Structures are given as C-alpha cells and as structure tokens.
Amino acid sequence: MKSGIKNLEIPVDKIKGVGTKRKKVFLKAGIKTVKDLLYFKPRKYIDRRVIKKIKDLKEDEEVVVMGKIFTRGERKTKDKKLFIVIIRDETGFMELVFVNAPYMKDYFPLDKEIIVSGKVKRFGSIYQIFHPEFEILDRENHDLIHAGKIVPIYSSIGKEIKPQTLRKIIHEALKQFLNLIPETIPEDIRKRFGLLSKRESIKNLHFPSSYELIEKSIYTLKFEEFFYFFLKLFIYKRRKTKAPPFILPSTLTKKFLDNLPFELTESQKKAIKEIEIDLSKPYSMRKLLQGDVGSGKTVIAIYSALRAIENGYQVAFMAPTEILAFQHYETILNFLKELNVSCDILTGSRTLKEKKEIYERVRNGITQILIGTHALLEEKLEFKNLGLVIIDEQHKFGVSQRARLLSKGESPHFLVMTATPIPRTLALTYYGDLDVLTLKEMPPGRGTVETRVIYIENRDEFYRRFFEALNNEKAKAYIIAPLIEESEKLNTKSCIELYEELKNKWAKDISISYIHGRMRKEEKDEIMLKFKRGDIKVLVSTTVLEVGIDVPDVKYMVIEGAERLGLSTLHQLRGRVARKLEKGYCFIFCSKDMPPETLKRISAFRNVQDGFKLSELDLKLRGPGNILGYAQSGFFSFKFGDLVEDKELLIRVRETVKNLLTVDPFLEKGENVILKENLSLDERLWLTEIA
Ligand code: ADP
Ligand code: MG
C-alpha cells in the first residue's frame, strides 16, 4: 500500500470535482489533504429520512418536504410584511412564510428544487411552514446525497464552497477513498471500548444511518485522536537522549546547602534528592517543577545549577521579564558570594558592547550561569558546554522557545518551573513529555491573605481610607493598574496615569512610585531597591509584577480592573503579599453588575486560596487554550476531543496506551503492528531507541 494512502495524505484535488480553483479555497482554510477533508466535522445534522407528500401533511407535525419553487412574492398584513414562497410537489402546493425578511427574495430561484423542514401550520386550506430550514438543490444526484437520509450540514468554506457543495465533495471523496482507509486501532481495543472500525466511523461522521451511529463515530474519532496522541508522547518520552551524567562530588552544592539561611521544607528536600538522581543518569532529565507562588522553587533551581557547574558544565536560566531575571541574578549573587561561581545576566536592555562581551565569555566557558530573558534565544549566543537549561515561569513561554534554548547545548538536562499549577488533564497533555515534580508545602512564616471586593462606585472612598490607614502604619503596598489589552504601551500609560492620580489626590504625604516593563533597567533596579528598603511605601505597577517578584514584607495588594484578569494572574498577584507577614490584604476592584461568568471567577478567587483548586476552576470556566495563554493554544487543537468534556476518556485512553506499551514495547504483537504502520518514519525510529 502506498504510504500516501495510509495516512490519507492525498492532495484534495485528487477528488473528482475539486480543481485548482476549489483547491485554493480549501488550502486557504487549512484543508490540504483528503484526510483533512474527511475529518471536517459537520456543524449539525438534519433528519431527512422521511419525506412527506404535501397532501399527507398534518398540522403541528415536524416534517421534511421536497418540491419545486412555483412562485414567490410579498404579502402585507396589518402589522407585518410577509415574504411567501409557494412550492409544489406532485400532490399539491404549500407556502413557506418569512416574516419581515424581504431580502429572502434572492434565495428562491423559480423552478429550482427545494427541500424544506419545519413545523406545519395551517392557513385556511393551505399548509405553511414559518421560517423553515431550507436548501435549494442542484439538479444531479440530489436524492442520493441531500435527501432521504440524515444529512450533514457543514459550515461554508470561504465564500466559495457552500455547505451543499461541500457535502457533494465529501460524498465523492468517500466514494473514491473510503475503501482505502486502513484500520488504525487494533481489534481487541476496539471491542473493549465499543469503537467502530475506522471506515465506519468516517462514513458515519458524514452520512450516518442513525443518530446513534453519529455518536459512536465521534466517540471513535475522539478515542483515536487521544490514542495516537499518547502513543506518540510515550514513545517520545521513553526514548532517552544521551546527556552528561553529573556524578562528581558535591563541592558547591554542599556549601550552598550548609549556608542557607533557612531550613528547607520537606518538599524541597525531596525535590532536590529526586533531581540529583535524575541528573546523575546518562540521559537528559526533563522535569517540570510546579509549586504554588512562594513555595520556594528558586532554591531548587540554584541547587540544580550548582550541580551542573561542579560537574564542569554551564547553565542557562531564562525568566520571562527583565525584573524577574534581575531578581534571580541578585538572589544568586547573594547566595553564591562565597562560592566563586561566575554569573552573567543577558537581557534586551544591555548595550551592544555589553552583549558582545557576554557572548564572548559564554562562548569561552568563563560564564558558568547565564541568567536572562528572551535575549537568551538570540542566535549569536553560543555556549561552550551547556549542561542544564532552567526556565522559570515556563507558562509564559511557548513550546518552540523551550526547544530553541535547548538546542544551544548538545543535549542538556532541563528543568522548567511554573507557579501556575495546572490541572491533571493539562499536565498529562501539555507537559506530557516532562516528569512532573510538585512542591506541596509552603515555607513556614507565610501569612494569610484576605481578599475583599471593592465596587468601583466606592473607589474614591476606598482610596481615601486606604491612604489614611497607610499613613499610620509601616506597611507597604502594590497597586496594579488596569490591564488595557495586550499592549505594553497602553498599559504603561495607564500605570503612569494611575500613579499621578493617586499621588496628587490621596498620597501627598506618602512615598509612592511606579514601575513598568518599559522602564530603563537602572530605573527599575533603583525603584525595586528603594521599595525593598522601605524608602518607597507604595508601588504602582502594571501586571509585570505578576511573576516571581519577591519582597517579603508587603502587606497590601490593590488590583484595579480585576474583572479583566484571569484567575491565574489574580492568584499570582495575590501571592506577592504577606510572604513574611502574618496577615495581608488583597483588594480587587469590580463593578456591581459583572456578567455571570466574571462573577463566578471573582467569587472563586475570593473564596479559594489554593492554586491547584483555582486552576481546575479556571480550566472549567475558560477552557484550556486561555489558561496557558495564546503562545500555546495551538497545541490544544484536538479536532474531536475536548480536554474538559472528555477528561474521563482521556485518562482511560492514556492508561490503555501505557499498558499496551508495557506489554508490547515495540508494537510487534498481533494487530498492534497496525499502530506502528500509522506512525511516521521518525516516530518509528523513536520506537526502537529505548535506553
Ligand atoms: P517561588 O516558588 O514563587 O519562585 P521563591 O523561590 O521566590 O518562590 O521563594 C519565595 C521566598 O521564600 C524567597 O524569599 C525564598 O528565599 C524563601 N524561601 C524559600 N524556601 C524557604 C524555606 N524553606 N524556608 C523559608 N523561606 C524560604
Ligand atoms: Mg519564582
């Protein structure tokens, strides 16, 4: 069998009736192959199995009638304008009635065949259907495809390919290719899960013989989609890439642990042990460290970095914002004072000269840890021997960025960290190729944070009292300016405006300042330093503060425009306060008449502190694409399956694939060969690369 047929990767214009013109339209809509087309899901179905003759109609019945357009025109009643189409079949006439819809005229060419459905009404001796579902039929073959069965209704493709044309094309594609589609799931699994065969599922997706079969075929297609997703994932995951084992003695790491100013939590100790074991193996560690805001991930990162360095390798440590990168840089310098490790920082704001010097040091292996932002992805940056990649706040980066940083080493170990705990289903898919390690505990000394909703109507009153209170205590506060779209420029503006308003109106006697992502680095440093020291009491900011920032004694967080922020952002922001205080407060500004969805989100945020629970809720409320941000949303393009709705199935399929690979790791037994045949060449190679 030709491999093109195997995966149905056949260009669409091989289908009769698809020429260069239609091919172009399809391509524009992302439909390249017969497979893409056969996987194009109908928007809905109409039951046209029984076609009634006009003489047999009865009032109030739901019916399908087929006939020819006899005449049409407008009719006025006292208060409405009606547009009437009269159709006829061999047994009589009936009317289609459209109220106040004069534009309908163009839709009904005289003498054309038409099929209509809807509820029958009676007007004197005439039967009528108001606003019927209707379709004008082309001449050829229509009774085979468009009527007498459950008929698929597709969305149009572009302006050019109408639902009915598409139905014809898909019908033709099935005629030509259905019998060439090979099976994709072994029979025993199909039996166990009550799946259709591949051919049946594709056929019934488009031209089902019953509603039950539509459901079964969609279930089968979901199953198949999840099945191959996990099959590939597991094969990829178990394939071990060689990496340098870090086995030399703990010269630096021991000193680091001995000098820590605090006792590690049990979670942290466990994480360190696990990472140390992983790094000692001759293949690449791929680890996701997740832990709620403030759970102490940075220490783990530094430990891992030192493990690489004491084994003679370099480390790249990437963070999503400049402020955060600098914070890590300082933390590391602080921890490493006595360790004699050379550390550099590379961000967009460094001068060309500085950059060149850093590139040079990194290339020569002088720099041992390079911390930075996206600037680390620049092509000119080359390492001498990169042994470990660390990515902080991984959810702010895309999958391709991760890959790009990794490609700077021969085959480095990597550790990605996130404070956005993700629900299990997402962890299984998006982070499916990583081992997940979770910090379950918080370091001692963290305070509780009380969350209060402030209605915008009371904004002035709130600020008056808030600043009055601040005047009388030593507390520090963050105030987050409203997010104005994904535009940095606008957000910067709203941050400065808010600062000026507050300063002039309420905060005359209080040291207040602002910070945003577009400031020069020196300015940002100075402000953060002053804020840490307490020379600045109130810091107005954009949501750049969302990630990572660690000033332990901030008591208040005020969030303007909270309604526009997602749960994870809100949670991250709240996690910035009361890190080393007994109690903190988070005030969120909302309007009184929030839409129900927003209200749900806001009340969830108010009542739930636990990051994991919040992320589960977030997934339910907003769907997976939004949670990880647009950078990754493309990843979730399951055509049939849905990560929220089909959670149970997803987990069952995952178990099935896992067991199958345990019993038959090379896919050689019985019908399992089918699976191998449906993998790409690369994937089949991975299959053999078990360590
Ligand atoms: P996150 O997990 O959000 O990145 P950080 O690593 O920034 O959290 O840690 C938050 C704060 O807690 C830092 O000031 C850090 O020094 C401190 N910290 C980390 N581990 C412990 C611990 N075991 N005991 C006390 N404080 C700790
Ligand atoms: Mg952090």
Side-chain angles (χ1 to χ4, degrees):
M1 187 183 296
K2 277 195 303 205
S3 78
I5 290 178
K6 189 182 75 190
N7 298 314
L8 287 173
E9 307 287 352
I10 307 166
V12 272
D13 58 347
K14 288 282 183 285
I15 302 168
K16 257 185 237 157
V18 180
T20 29
K21 230 160 118 194
R22 280 181 177 164
K23 183 181 179 180
K24 251 194 190 152
V25 181
F26 276 131
L27 283 186
K28 237 182 175 171
I31 298 175
K32 294 190 198 90
T33 63
V34 173
K35 178 176 176 176
D36 296 335
L37 195 63
L38 291 185
Y39 275 61
F40 193 80
K41 206 170 142 190
R43 184 163 59 80
K44 62 174 187 175
Y45 301 86
I46 305 187
D47 191 348
R48 290 182 184 161
R49 279 175 292 191
V50 180
I51 301 210
K52 276 268 165 124
K53 294 296 171 207
I54 292 175
K55 77 168 169 31
D56 298 330
L57 295 182
K58 291 201 184 68
E59 203 167 352
D60 285 337
E61 256 183 344
E62 288 281 346
V63 297
V64 181
V65 175
M66 208 159 111
K68 269 192 176 164
I69 298 167
F70 181 68
T71 179
R72 61 221 183 331
E74 278 179 30
R75 185 188 297 160
K76 272 189 199 153
T77 66
K78 265 177 283 158
D79 48 350
K80 292 183 205 105
K81 257 194 199 155
L82 305 179
F83 183 73
I84 308 274
V85 181
I86 299 183
I87 67 169
R88 66 184 291 190
D89 67 7
E90 345 53 281
T91 69
F93 293 86
M94 73 174 299
E95 292 183 353
L96 314 178
V97 185
F98 299 88
V99 183
N100 292 335
Y103 54 87
M104 275 292 164
K105 193 158 58 213
D106 303 333
Y107 288 94
F108 297 96
L110 288 181
D111 280 336
K112 281 276 188 182
E113 294 247 24
I114 184 169
I115 185 161
V116 305
S117 45
K119 198 173 195 171
V120 179
K121 293 279 162 218
R122 208 185 150 119
F123 181 70
S125 62
I126 296 272
Y127 286 108
Q128 299 179 319
I129 300 181
F130 278 68
H131 292 265
E133 184 106 46
F134 68 92
E135 202 171 289
I136 312 291
L137 299 176
D138 294 340
R139 211 144 291 161
E140 343 111 39
N141 267 347
H142 56 67
D143 43 4
L144 288 176
I145 307 177
H146 309 299
K149 52 180 62 173
I150 300 173
V151 171
I153 310 289
Y154 302 95
S155 309
S156 299
I157 298 198
K159 280 199 193 92
E160 297 89 341
I161 302 181
K162 296 270 183 296
Q164 199 185 131
T165 313
L166 189 56
R167 192 185 300 144
K168 257 176 24 195
I169 294 173
I170 289 182
H171 191 264
E172 183 56 42
L174 285 171
K175 215 159 83 187
Q176 279 176 259
F177 298 105
L178 184 67
N179 288 328
L180 299 176
I181 303 179
E183 193 45 63
T184 49
I185 306 283
E187 199 183 345
D188 55 328
I189 297 178
R190 268 190 285 140
K191 276 213 178 110
R192 184 143 42 98
F193 285 89
L195 306 177
L196 299 178
S197 74
K198 176 76 184 183
R199 286 179 201 170
E200 284 171 313
S201 65
I202 292 286
K203 184 192 162 284
N204 283 294
L205 177 69
H206 299 290
F207 295 97
S209 23
S210 71
Y211 278 91
E212 199 198 334
L213 277 170
I214 299 176
E215 255 174 51
K216 272 197 160 176
S217 87
I218 289 178
Y219 176 71
T220 303
L221 292 165
K222 279 179 185 172
F223 188 98
E224 184 202 34
E225 196 169 34
F226 287 155
F227 193 92
Y228 275 86
F229 176 81
F230 283 118
L231 187 67
K232 292 171 186 186
L233 192 71
F234 286 146
I235 294 175
Y236 174 76
K237 197 172 164 184
R238 79 173 181 199
R239 155 189 174 257
K240 315 264 175 178
T241 29
K242 284 207 173 58
F246 297 161
I247 44 178
L248 294 180
S250 325
T251 44
L252 296 170
T253 41
K254 182 160 184 316
K255 266 193 214 152
F256 169 67
L257 292 182
D258 288 347
N259 290 341
L260 271 183
F262 44 71
E263 173 89 6
L264 290 175
T265 64
E266 287 309 310
S267 282
Q268 285 171 319
K269 284 184 196 159
K270 234 181 95 208
I272 282 182
K273 212 177 260 165
E274 195 175 317
I275 287 176
E276 177 162 342
I277 292 174
D278 280 11
L279 291 176
S280 72
K281 297 194 175 143
Y283 38 78
S284 168
M285 172 179 88
R286 290 187 283 235
K287 199 156 239 39
L288 167 71
L289 177 63
Q290 64 175 10
D292 211 343
V293 199
S295 58
K297 295 182 291 295
T298 316
V299 183
I300 315 275
I302 298 176
Y303 176 88
S304 317
L306 291 176
R307 195 75 195 111
I309 293 167
E310 66 197 3
N311 276 273
Y313 287 90
Q314 290 173 294
V315 179
F317 190 167
M318 184 163 75
T321 64
E322 187 164 42
I323 303 181
L324 185 53
F326 271 94
Q327 183 184 285
H328 283 325
Y329 181 62
E330 273 146 32
T331 309
I332 287 176
L333 287 185
N334 201 17
F335 275 131
L336 303 188
K337 257 184 266 163
E338 275 124 57
L339 295 186
N340 207 11
V341 168
S342 83
C343 184
D344 263 309
I345 176 154
L346 182 64
T347 64
S349 71
R350 312 226 78 174
T351 63
L352 219 58
K353 187 160 157 275
E354 285 172 324
K355 276 188 188 164
K356 271 197 180 140
E357 285 166 12
I358 292 172
Y359 291 155
E360 188 63 23
R361 283 202 294 273
V362 174
R363 192 169 29 245
N364 295 334
I366 295 168
T367 300
Q368 291 170 294
I369 308 186
L370 181 64
I371 299 167
T373 53
H374 294 79
L376 296 191
L377 301 174
E378 269 180 42
E379 217 149 289
K380 285 184 212 122
L381 179 68
E382 286 167 24
F383 287 81
K384 181 161 181 232
N385 58 351
L386 181 62
L388 172 68
V389 163
I390 302 173
I391 301 179
D392 193 17
E393 310 288 351
Q394 149 72 30
H395 58 284
K396 293 277 163 190
F397 294 98
V399 183
S400 60
Q401 290 169 319
R402 175 169 108 195
R404 217 147 97 213
L405 189 53
L406 283 172
S407 72
K408 293 193 180 284
E410 205 150 298
S411 134
H413 296 282
F414 73 93
L415 173 68
V416 302
M417 309 197 290
T418 180
T420 302
I422 51 172
R424 190 164 131 82
T425 27
L426 283 195
L428 292 180
T429 49
Y430 177 61
Y431 291 130
D433 60 329
L434 307 176
D435 294 320
V436 180
L437 178 59
T438 306
L439 294 182
K440 296 200 178 83
E441 261 172 292
M442 284 291 180
R446 246 188 117 70
T448 53
V449 183
E450 187 178 322
T451 304
R452 292 192 187 162
V453 171
I454 308 293
Y455 290 122
I456 292 169
E457 291 81 355
N458 306 331
R459 185 173 177 271
D460 279 3
E461 178 63 12
F462 167 80
Y463 275 130
R464 190 180 61 74
R465 288 173 37 192
F466 181 70
F467 282 104
E468 214 173 86
L470 267 185
N471 246 332
N472 299 321
E473 56 179 333
K474 249 188 86 195
K476 293 180 191 171
Y478 293 118
I479 300 180
I480 305 296
L483 182 71
I484 305 182
E485 296 169 0
E486 292 283 318
S487 151
E488 280 226 2
K489 204 167 160 186
L490 289 175
N491 290 328
T492 301
K493 188 163 164 263
S494 92
C495 170
I496 298 173
E497 278 171 7
L498 179 61
Y499 160 76
E500 285 184 340
E501 183 203 343
L502 295 176
K503 186 173 163 58
N504 296 329
K505 233 169 159 176
W506 314 110
K508 288 203 184 82
D509 311 320
I510 282 185
S511 53
I512 180 171
S513 187
Y514 64 91
I515 192 164
H516 56 73
R518 296 187 127 207
M519 273 176 169
R520 273 190 311 118
K521 194 237 135 205
E522 290 78 14
E523 277 180 280
K524 281 190 271 195
D525 279 357
E526 200 188 317
I527 287 167
M528 279 321 285
L529 190 71
K530 281 188 177 160
F531 186 61
K532 264 182 206 164
R533 280 206 309 244
D535 300 344
I536 293 173
K537 266 182 98 162
V538 179
L539 195 56
V540 180
S541 167
T542 58
T543 49
V544 285
L545 280 188
E546 173 189 346
V547 288
I549 298 305
D550 184 33
V551 181
D553 59 345
V554 185
K555 183 171 177 189
Y556 298 111
M557 167 65 75
V558 179
I559 307 174
E560 291 221 9
E563 284 165 74
R564 306 194 57 177
L565 301 176
L567 270 178
S568 77
T569 302
L570 287 170
H571 178 65
Q572 294 261 358
L573 287 169
R574 182 167 61 189
R576 302 294 133 217
V577 299
R579 298 195 139 201
K580 289 274 149 65
L581 295 174
E582 232 165 77
K583 175 133 200 199
Y585 295 86
C586 177
F587 299 103
I588 49 180
F589 280 28
C590 299
S591 54
K592 268 191 183 135
D593 47 356
M594 284 178 264
E597 283 303 301
T598 314
L599 188 63
K600 267 190 216 156
R601 194 164 71 230
I602 294 294
S603 19
F605 177 63
R606 241 183 57 182
N607 301 324
V608 181
Q609 303 283 331
D610 180 306
F612 270 97
K613 282 200 191 118
L614 278 177
S615 78
E616 290 279 356
L617 282 168
D618 207 14
L619 180 66
K620 277 209 194 97
L621 293 174
R622 290 193 304 158
N626 285 319
I627 292 200
L628 293 167
Y630 62 96
Q632 285 93 0
S633 55
F635 189 81
F636 293 100
S637 54
F638 285 117
K639 273 201 170 81
F640 295 94
D642 180 294
L643 287 182
V644 180
E645 259 164 43
D646 304 316
K647 193 168 149 185
E648 309 295 321
L649 180 66
L650 184 93
I651 290 171
R652 274 171 72 203
V653 173
R654 183 174 180 273
E655 284 311 302
T656 309
V657 177
K658 210 170 167 186
N659 292 337
L660 181 125
L661 280 172
T662 316
V663 178
D664 184 10
F666 300 102
L667 304 179
E668 295 167 321
K669 295 191 181 149
E671 279 222 349
N672 292 349
V673 232
I674 291 179
L675 300 173
K676 193 154 77 182
E677 280 168 6
N678 280 297
L679 295 177
S680 73
L681 217 56
D682 272 352
E683 290 154 358
R684 262 181 273 170
L685 274 179
W686 297 347
L687 198 55
T688 59
E689 290 178 41
I690 301 186

